């Protein structure tokens, strides 16, 4: 297989950050004040803000080994926790994700 390209990961990070930012902005626009009444919305907003802080610290200030940058990356895992919580309401989606995960494990 191909070697992992750091530039690819950087671009993917920006793409996902843009998508999450758009999602949070649209929810904030639609929900207005009620947006802040849902803890998951606040968590998503914090993760998006931390994504921008990470880009600022790691890319603009060129501080790649700062421990707080690593902490921001760990904070993004909370989005995965949210997805897992949603899967219990959609059994078919759970089976699909589980099959995909197992296939990825088999390839590695």
């Amino acid at each position: 297989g191909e070697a992992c390209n750091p530039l690819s990961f950087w671009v993917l990070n920006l793409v996902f950050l843009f998508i999450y930012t758009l999602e949070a902005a649209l929810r904030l626009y639609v929900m207005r004040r009620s947006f802040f009444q849902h803890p998951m919305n606040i968590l998503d907003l914090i993760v998006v803000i931390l994504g921008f802080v990470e880009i600022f610290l790691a890319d603009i200030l060129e501080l790649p080994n700062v421990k707080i940058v690593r902490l921001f990356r760990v904070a993004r895992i909370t989005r995965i926790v949210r997805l897992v919580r949603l899967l219990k309401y959609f059994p078919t989606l759970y089976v699909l994700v589980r099959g995909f995960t197992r296939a990825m494990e088999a390839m590695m």
Side-chain angles (χ1 to χ4, degrees):
E2 280 186 32
C4 294
N5 183 352
L7 180 62
S8 299
F9 287 119
W10 183 79
V11 170
L12 281 173
N13 186 33
L14 288 180
V15 168
F16 282 114
L17 183 59
F18 173 76
I19 291 169
Y20 294 146
T21 301
L22 184 63
E23 175 194 11
L26 288 173
R27 274 193 280 139
L28 183 59
Y29 177 75
V30 170
M31 298 175 76
R32 311 254 183 216
R33 288 185 181 176
S34 66
F35 176 88
F36 296 102
Q37 295 172 353
H38 301 278
M40 292 309 293
N41 288 341
I42 295 170
L43 179 65
D44 287 345
L45 188 61
I46 290 170
V47 169
V48 167
I49 291 169
L50 290 177
F52 282 107
V53 170
E54 175 189 353
I55 287 173
F56 178 75
L57 290 177
D59 297 335
I60 296 173
L61 297 180
E62 298 179 0
L63 300 172
N65 294 323
V66 177
K67 289 183 181 182
I68 195 154
V69 172
R70 290 186 204 140
L71 179 64
F72 294 154
R73 290 179 183 152
V74 170
R76 286 188 295 189
I77 293 174
T78 58
R79 291 195 66 87
I80 294 171
V81 171
R82 182 175 180 218
L83 174 66
V84 171
R85 284 186 34 198
L86 283 175
L87 288 177
K88 69 181 178 182
Y89 297 111
F90 302 101
T92 306
L93 182 60
Y94 175 75
V95 170
L96 179 70
V97 170
R98 188 172 179 182
F100 179 74
T101 304
R102 298 260 167 105
M104 293 301 292
E105 289 172 359
M107 289 191 288
M108 298 195 147

